[in-house]
Amino acid sequence: MNLLKHDYSYLFRLLVTGVILLAGITLPISGQVTLRYASNETVTWQEAIDMYQWLDDQYEDARLLEIGWTDAGRPLHLFVIDRGRQFSPQEIRESGKSILFINNGIHPGEPCGVDASLKLASDLLSGKDSCAHYLDHTVIAIVPIFNVGGALNRGSFHRANQNGPLEHGFRGNARNLDLNRDFIKLDSRNTQSLVPLLRSWDPDIFVDTHTSNGSDYPYTITLINSHSQRHEPSQARFLDSTLLPFLFEGMDRSPYLMSPYVWSYKRTPDQGIIAFMDYPRYTSGYVSLYNTLAFTVETHMFKSFEDRVLSTWHLLRETLRFSGLYGSALAEVKRAAWQEKMMRQEFTLQWKLDTSRSDTINFSGYEVKQRKSKVTGQQNYYFDRSAPWEKEIPYYKYFKPIITASVPEYYIVPSAWGEVVERLQLNGVKMDQLSSDSIMELDIYYIESYKTVDRPYNGHYRHYDVETRELRDKVQLLAGDWIIPSKQRAIEYLVQTLEPKGYDSFFSWNFFDEVLFRNEYFSPYIFEETAEDLLKNDPDLKKEFKEKKKEDSKFAENGYQQLRFIYERSPWSESTYMRYPVYRLNR
Ligand SMILES: [Zn+2]
């Protein structure tokens, strides 16, 4: 925005305002922030962008940036409020301010945060909001609507279990991807645009706004925090003992009740609720790999849209207030967390809920009762709002690590795996290319076994229950292959994505499926004599073969299987079959 353009638009608005006043009507000026959530309506994508553009034109402390592209063929925007008027993450960071990053409309059917952020931005910039002075210490960055394609797919029937707004967007993006599963695989252009942005802005606090599904209860708003066990100890302590209590106490003073996210341990909340383990596919799980404290706000689907917007707005204000009051503590624990992360010898790749441990929380719910369905004639449960209860329930928030991986000095990714390399680059991973072909002694994984889902999940036939065998051997590397030191800001990102057993590893998301295929094979009639020689010259193989025949009667009757058994243990069997193509180097 240059000054000249700004002056012109200002004069134009004065003129339009004059004409409207003269005409005696009060039409909103195009783009002005006029929200309709009280009438159960949310803004369209175009309206949201126009309103942010209007704020940009109106206020020198605000700027609307185009920061990349989306699958819908429209740009992705970021709206920044910075009293220092720098608008560049590097300069903001140097000024010592905290960065609060708010992501909206990842699920456009859940648009409370879209309207709440517009209200927040508009009221802060106009000075109407008493929290405006916290902007002296905090810069706010808002993604107006992340899933642009989903927001353009507007209708009234995308959310069967939700009370409005009248029209809303769809969960899938223009490619039908759920973008809140896309932060490692990066299938969408939306996420490919946002991830480098998150790396350069490196927020202190990140908030993703949603509406929940599930049980019925009195709370208007619920909160998922990036799981403290996934944070470094100093940040985990700060999250549990300072930040979370601050937000819950703040919301106690608002008109809206807030609860931890309600994910029932059994069918309904009265027997306890479980903390959400946010793996890196989710926004909060992804940003917390880089020591950003993150929240997923889930308003309750049956409450009015107005209450959902306003409760989200209250929570965003409380988050801003925290950031303004605790800016130096936030920076301090983040510094400590980076020291701790860099010292890590291992990371947990997969967790399991520890059902033997729980905290106790006070919870308000509705009695669950049974009634006969008029549609099916079968018994169905329902929440009886005329029978509220309040009692202490268990809060299962502790997880046990079940799979861990040590941190190697280096990972080596052959340049052949370009799609993986591109994703590492989008994450700002520092890496060097080998200048010449060389043979190196490396730690190698062979994939021993894995399971695969029957139906594609977000475009992928995901693998799980991966078992590996590890060995050290010489590997031929080529000039251009990538050597990646682990001791860098992406340390945890590298371990979580490059270790094949990682819950959201590149292996699990099918980036290395090519190695699960044999290129070469044998013809039984030709291999017969070779097999005979192999058994003659290798007593261990002969013993293993005999035992297998004795133990496995089907095998003993199947000539092809027997030859294959010998082929797979022979030098002719390709060594790259099932060999995981990312290597670990420890010197
Ligand atoms: Zn959602």
Side-chain angles (χ1 to χ4, degrees):
M1 178 189 70
N2 63 41
L3 197 61
L4 197 63
K5 177 188 143 214
H6 179 251
D7 285 345
Y8 273 130
S9 66
Y10 182 66
L11 285 173
F12 177 72
R13 272 198 310 280
L14 273 180
L15 193 67
V16 173
T17 310
V19 169
I20 289 170
L21 287 175
L22 281 174
I25 50 174
T26 54
L27 284 176
I29 301 162
S30 171
Q32 193 175 339
V33 179
T34 42
L35 300 169
R36 306 182 300 277
Y37 55 79
S39 322
N40 199 21
E41 284 185 57
T42 184
V43 292
T44 64
W45 174 77
Q46 190 61 58
E47 284 171 331
I49 301 307
D50 288 349
M51 289 179 192
Y52 280 117
Q53 187 58 57
W54 184 83
L55 290 171
D56 171 318
D57 293 343
Q58 193 83 356
Y59 299 105
E60 293 291 345
D61 294 350
R63 193 164 290 180
L64 181 66
L65 310 166
E66 277 189 17
I67 48 94
W69 217 239
T70 71
D71 283 338
R74 308 232 176 141
L76 185 65
H77 291 85
L78 184 72
F79 182 75
V80 181
I81 306 176
D82 176 10
R83 283 203 166 163
R85 301 178 184 177
Q86 290 168 313
F87 307 106
S88 110
Q90 289 75 19
E91 286 173 309
I92 290 165
R93 203 145 283 299
E94 277 164 27
S95 74
K97 287 182 188 171
S98 310
I99 295 175
L100 168 60
F101 199 106
I102 302 165
N103 188 44
N104 297 303
I106 195 168
H107 295 151
E110 309 164 16
C112 332
V114 172
D115 293 76
S117 292
L118 275 162
K119 175 174 167 55
L120 181 78
S122 172
D123 289 357
L124 286 171
L125 287 163
S126 69
K128 189 175 154 192
D129 190 327
S130 62
C131 277
H133 66 281
Y134 295 118
L135 292 170
D136 290 342
H137 309 288
T138 296
V139 169
I140 304 184
I142 299 170
V143 175
I145 294 179
F146 178 46
N147 180 352
V148 178
L152 295 174
N153 180 4
R154 210 169 147 100
S156 300
F157 299 98
H158 292 315
R159 299 282 291 169
N161 304 318
Q162 189 175 296
N163 175 17
L166 289 171
E167 283 196 345
H168 46 264
F170 179 61
R171 187 179 183 94
N173 87 332
R175 263 179 73 177
N176 205 36
L177 291 165
D178 181 341
L179 298 185
N180 203 22
R181 308 292 183 270
D182 199 37
F183 279 75
I184 296 302
K185 60 190 177 68
L186 295 179
D187 286 334
S188 72
R189 279 192 277 176
N190 308 51
T191 321
Q192 289 170 16
S193 300
L194 186 57
V195 154
L197 189 84
L198 285 167
R199 296 288 39 84
S200 59
W201 282 82
D202 187 24
D204 297 282
I205 300 180
F206 176 96
V207 184
D208 206 39
T209 60
H210 293 251
T211 301
S212 77
N213 282 318
S215 312
D216 195 6
Y217 43 75
Y219 300 96
T220 307
I221 182 166
T222 69
L223 190 66
I224 298 174
N225 57 277
S226 43
H227 199 288
S228 53
Q229 284 179 277
R230 292 188 55 257
H231 278 290
E232 301 307 317
S234 56
Q235 227 173 7
R237 274 194 302 275
F238 183 71
L239 176 61
D240 284 336
S241 64
T242 309
L243 176 47
L244 280 168
F246 182 99
L247 294 180
F248 278 92
E249 282 161 25
M251 290 304 285
D252 280 348
R253 289 190 301 272
S254 86
Y256 299 104
L257 286 170
M258 184 164 84
S259 158
Y261 180 60
V262 181
W263 179 20
S264 300
Y265 177 51
K266 297 281 165 67
R267 195 177 60 185
T268 54
D270 50 321
Q271 289 169 80
I273 59 172
I274 302 172
F276 189 77
M277 178 48 74
D278 54 333
Y279 283 106
R281 69 179 64 174
Y282 305 102
T283 50
S284 68
Y286 168 73
V287 296
S288 57
L289 296 176
Y290 297 91
N291 293 334
T292 291
L293 296 163
F295 298 101
T296 303
V297 184
E298 299 270 1
T299 58
H300 189 246
M301 70 278 185
F302 293 153
K303 306 301 184 286
S304 76
F305 185 58
E306 180 178 23
D307 285 336
R308 276 149 46 207
V309 170
L310 291 176
S311 60
T312 305
W313 173 73
H314 274 283
L315 182 81
L316 295 176
R317 279 180 92 236
E318 286 304 318
T319 315
L320 168 63
R321 212 160 67 81
F322 183 86
S323 180
L325 291 170
Y326 288 82
S328 51
L330 263 175
E332 188 47 49
V333 290
K334 197 171 181 181
R335 255 194 303 278
W338 274 118
Q339 280 175 1
E340 288 159 355
K341 205 182 275 291
M342 289 303 181
M343 300 294 286
R344 286 278 210 119
Q345 304 291 312
E346 66 169 36
F347 286 99
T348 297
L349 302 177
Q350 293 197 33
W351 301 87
K352 187 173 190 278
L353 184 70
D354 184 350
T355 52
S356 70
R357 287 178 73 197
S358 62
D359 287 358
T360 302
I361 57 164
N362 204 46
F363 190 85
S364 303
Y366 298 129
E367 240 175 72
V368 175
K369 295 181 178 169
Q370 295 283 329
R371 64 182 164 201
K372 194 172 167 186
S373 162
K374 286 179 188 157
V375 178
T376 66
Q378 304 296 310
Q379 286 293 310
N380 201 355
Y381 74 96
Y382 72 103
F383 292 86
D384 185 351
R385 287 185 202 167
S386 66
W389 53 262
E390 189 179 337
K391 65 173 183 179
E392 296 201 321
I393 60 164
Y395 181 27
Y396 296 96
K397 56 184 271 197
Y398 302 102
F399 284 74
K400 291 186 282 198
I402 49 167
I403 298 175
T404 61
S406 65
V407 181
E409 277 181 71
Y410 298 89
Y411 282 105
I412 296 177
V413 180
S415 66
W417 302 93
E419 288 178 345
V420 168
V421 172
E422 276 168 27
R423 279 151 183 78
L424 302 181
Q425 286 167 336
L426 287 169
N427 273 274
V429 171
K430 292 189 179 71
M431 44 194 184
D432 295 309
Q433 284 184 289
L434 273 181
S435 54
S436 58
D437 296 357
S438 37
I439 291 173
M440 291 173 85
E441 184 143 305
L442 301 171
D443 293 329
I444 300 167
Y445 290 118
Y446 274 88
I447 307 294
E448 287 281 275
S449 62
Y450 60 95
K451 292 180 184 140
T452 303
V453 299
D454 293 335
R455 296 165 67 89
Y457 173 81
N458 272 283
H460 291 259
Y461 283 91
R462 274 177 55 72
H463 303 311
Y464 62 101
D465 284 356
V466 179
E467 296 296 339
T468 57
R469 171 167 57 90
E470 290 155 51
L471 56 95
R472 182 168 288 192
D473 203 355
K474 291 193 168 61
V475 178
Q476 169 75 66
L477 299 174
L478 300 176
D481 287 351
W482 294 93
I483 311 260
I484 306 165
S486 305
K487 296 278 177 197
Q488 57 172 302
R489 288 222 154 192
I491 178 170
E492 183 170 6
Y493 168 80
L494 290 167
V495 175
Q496 298 290 353
T497 60
L498 294 179
E499 290 296 325
K501 290 185 185 177
Y503 185 80
D504 275 326
S505 69
F506 287 125
F507 179 80
S508 77
W509 286 109
N510 308 111
F511 282 84
F512 295 114
D513 277 6
E514 292 90 325
V515 305
L516 306 177
F517 169 76
R518 270 189 190 279
N519 276 284
E520 297 285 1
Y521 62 97
F522 71 99
S523 288
Y525 81 96
I526 303 171
F527 196 65
E528 182 76 42
E529 282 176 30
T530 313
E532 205 181 326
D533 283 347
L534 284 167
L535 289 177
K536 206 184 291 171
N537 297 324
D538 186 345
D540 288 342
L541 176 65
K542 191 173 180 180
K543 193 172 161 226
E544 198 188 348
F545 180 61
K546 268 189 165 175
E547 273 168 17
K548 175 81 177 159
K549 277 213 306 196
K550 204 155 66 182
E551 281 164 13
D552 187 341
S553 58
K554 274 192 182 151
F555 179 78
E557 286 163 15
N558 188 325
Y560 177 79
Q561 285 301 335
Q562 292 178 38
L563 287 173
R564 184 182 160 139
F565 180 90
I566 297 164
Y567 172 79
E568 283 177 1
R569 285 154 184 76
S570 79
W572 281 276
S573 180
E574 61 208 72
S575 63
T576 49
Y577 173 60
M578 300 287 255
R579 189 174 81 183
Y580 179 63
V582 175
Y583 313 109
R584 292 159 53 98
L585 172 60
N586 286 303
R587 289 179 301 191

